Amino acid sequence: MGAGMDPAEARCEEPEGRVYLDYNATTPPAPEVVQAVRDAMSQAWGNPSSSYPAGRKAKEHIGSARESVARMVGGRPEDIIFTSGGTEANNMVIHTACRHFHDSQATPGDSWGTPHIVTSSVEHDSVRLPLEQLVKEGLAEATFVPVSQRSGRAEVDDVLAAIRSTTCLVSIMLANNETGVIMPVMELSQRVHALNQRRVAEGLPRILVHTDAAQMIGKGRVDVQELGVDYLTIVGHKFYGPRIGALYVRGPGTTTPLHPMLFGGGQERSFRPGTENTPMIAGLGKAAELVSKNWETYKAHMQDVRDYLEAKLEASFGKQRIHHNSHFTGSKRLCNTSNFSILGPGLQGRRVLSCCKILLASVGAACHSEKGDRPSLILLSCGIPYDVAQNALRLSVGRDTTRTDVDLVVQDLMQAVAQLDQDQAL
């Protein structure tokens, strides 16, 4: 992009006439982010560990981005470790918890047994699958706490009830990517910290607390001091940044353990070595700046458009035909997320989307897009009936989605359903 180019010209556009409503899967980089990446590529191409001007410039970009990311989540710059993305950050936390469990034993001959980790039944695969692999290898034990079918949340009492003497980590996402339900992480942290004080007196391992905040950042308040967590996962491409991430650690290597999964040149204080990806880090810093400055405006806009979408769906199809899969009594949800089913035979979510000419969306997590018409396990675990879950659509609006976009999408869904109803009648 030329220095004089209007940032609006850099906006990533969808094909002519299409409306993208899959912002929980990924977001386009903001124009300011694209500019920051370009600037870093051209002006800060040096190795950040080098002393010549381009290297010093790269180091400055990285330091500035670290400050911006820390400010966004209410932490300190030294608490931020840049990673390749959320998957790496989540794996690093799990790896660290198991390693710390063994390292914390009073003498080498002691043995607390096998480390145990508590999580929920609705976590992202980058938490679930590493745990399943460790269990398979006999290196850890894991409890996947079912979410309440009344609230859609992993309830604090249920999580605490799963804790054992060998528990070393509790990992609960901040908000679910399919239902949008916000989890009670702050209360959970408070209860675990109180429990830890008693465990220390009993000679039991400390329980570390982690939350994957991928879906919440940019859509609501995220403050690590309020949440009280030891670790928090940050994913750039969920808040109009590049496809890298970061891990917040409350005092890495001092207050809170952190063990590297890679070994190399000592970058990121040896917690995550490898020559830093300066342009992407600069882009992440810019995306974080935008969130810090504007998140309340973003939230208000997205909630208005999402609520309009749900009202429009009921007005167009009739309340009896729309089942809201993410409305749970007493639970808060993300401002931008609507998971619903259009009831009727032959209206499986994938079939409806395939008949849409305007809407670009998904039936659930993008990671599971190859699973055919099998309903989302997350929806089933929330108590949504099988035939209803099969028809599910997850629409997630963005910062630039308008009510006009919603009108077009609902019209598109109506024509798709009319076509499928006609096919079903034949």
Side-chain angles (χ1 to χ4, degrees):
M1 188 198 312
M5 183 180 287
D6 182 344
E9 294 179 40
R11 189 171 300 284
C12 300
E13 298 289 352
E14 282 305 329
E16 188 75 26
R18 306 302 296 265
V19 175
Y20 179 77
L21 291 186
D22 206 13
Y23 289 90
N24 281 8
T26 198
T27 58
E32 299 91 335
V33 169
V34 174
Q35 184 70 60
V37 171
R38 294 258 184 131
D39 288 348
M41 284 182 124
S42 60
Q43 299 166 22
W45 50 267
N47 190 316
S49 300
S50 301
S51 59
Y52 42 75
R56 291 199 302 272
K57 188 80 171 172
K59 191 172 183 177
E60 288 169 12
H61 275 276
I62 292 167
S64 175
R66 199 183 307 278
E67 290 176 4
S68 296
V69 173
R71 194 177 306 117
M72 176 179 72
V73 298
R76 305 173 304 166
E78 57 265 36
D79 295 335
I80 301 299
I81 308 295
F82 292 117
T83 66
S84 61
T87 294
E88 182 186 350
N90 288 343
N91 274 259
M92 189 182 289
V93 170
I94 293 166
H95 165 79
T96 289
C98 292
R99 172 81 182 272
H100 182 66
F101 174 86
H102 293 297
D103 288 355
S104 297
Q105 295 174 86
T107 63
D110 289 352
S111 177
W112 283 329
T114 305
H116 172 245
I117 295 169
V118 179
T119 190
S120 82
S121 62
V122 297
E123 297 296 314
H124 190 268
D125 279 354
S126 59
V127 168
R128 181 177 65 85
L129 293 178
L131 291 178
E132 289 182 356
Q133 184 64 29
L134 287 171
V135 170
K136 183 179 177 183
E137 294 176 10
L139 298 174
E141 296 175 339
T143 300
F144 297 87
V145 176
V147 294
S148 162
Q149 296 192 359
R150 181 186 58 80
S151 68
R153 309 192 312 174
E155 296 295 0
V156 173
D157 286 342
D158 295 336
V159 174
L160 292 174
I163 288 174
R164 308 174 186 169
S165 62
T166 53
T167 302
C168 60
L169 176 69
V170 170
S171 178
I172 303 291
M173 62 184 7
L174 195 48
N176 185 263
N177 49 314
E178 292 195 32
T179 63
V181 169
I182 296 169
M183 302 293 177
V185 171
M186 181 173 72
E187 183 190 346
L188 178 63
S189 293
Q190 291 169 347
R191 299 276 295 276
V192 170
H193 289 161
L195 178 60
N196 273 335
Q197 292 177 347
R198 298 198 295 274
R199 286 170 67 94
V200 168
E202 296 168 12
L204 295 176
R206 170 186 173 189
I207 301 171
L208 300 160
V209 179
H210 166 246
T211 191
D212 180 346
Q215 290 296 338
M216 188 68 156
I217 292 173
K219 303 170 194 169
R221 180 176 174 81
V222 177
D223 186 311
V224 292
Q225 308 310 328
E226 284 183 6
L227 292 170
V229 293
D230 300 302
Y231 308 98
L232 182 139
T233 296
I234 298 162
V235 182
H237 75 99
K238 304 294 189 184
F239 57 96
Y240 293 74
R243 290 207 173 108
I244 64 162
L247 179 65
Y248 161 83
V249 185
R250 187 181 299 276
T254 54
T255 305
T256 305
L258 186 64
H259 294 285
M261 298 179 71
L262 305 172
F263 296 87
Q267 295 86 353
E268 293 299 288
R269 290 158 285 163
S270 293
F271 292 123
R272 206 290 183 183
T275 303
E276 300 93 336
N277 189 347
T278 307
M280 297 300 114
I281 290 172
L284 186 68
K286 178 56 71 175
E289 279 182 41
L290 293 172
V291 167
S292 295
K293 195 180 300 181
N294 303 310
W295 73 265
E296 289 170 301
T297 303
Y298 297 153
K299 180 183 178 183
H301 170 75
M302 288 189 279
Q303 188 158 324
D304 174 74
V305 175
R306 191 274 312 275
D307 291 349
Y308 178 75
L309 164 66
E310 293 186 343
K312 188 80 176 177
L313 285 167
E314 290 185 356
S316 301
F317 286 97
K319 282 190 177 184
Q320 299 307 311
R321 205 170 187 192
I322 297 294
H323 185 278
H324 294 288
N325 302 322
S326 51
H327 288 193
F328 293 94
T329 305
S331 292
K332 295 180 180 178
R333 59 183 170 136
L334 292 172
C335 60
N336 76 321
T337 306
S338 180
N339 194 310
F340 62 93
S341 298
I342 304 171
L343 303 180
L347 297 180
Q348 292 87 352
R350 197 169 307 281
R351 295 189 71 197
V352 172
L353 288 178
S354 71
C355 291
C356 286
K357 298 177 172 64
I358 293 171
L359 173 63
L360 297 168
S362 65
V363 296
C367 318
H368 304 152
S369 57
E370 76 292 345
K371 295 193 175 177
D373 283 331
R374 279 183 289 166
S376 158
L377 291 176
I378 286 176
L379 292 184
L380 293 177
S381 67
C382 290
I384 306 299
Y386 191 96
D387 57 332
V388 175
Q390 263 195 322
N391 289 19
L393 297 169
R394 181 193 68 180
L395 303 193
S396 45
V397 306
R399 297 174 187 173
D400 300 314
T401 309
T402 65
R403 288 186 172 210
T404 301
D405 291 331
V406 168
D407 291 340
L408 291 170
V409 161
V410 174
Q411 288 173 14
D412 196 29
L413 286 169
M414 289 181 71
Q415 70 78 26
V417 168
Q419 180 183 329
L420 289 168
D421 281 347
Q422 190 174 11
D423 292 347
Q424 191 74 17
L426 294 176

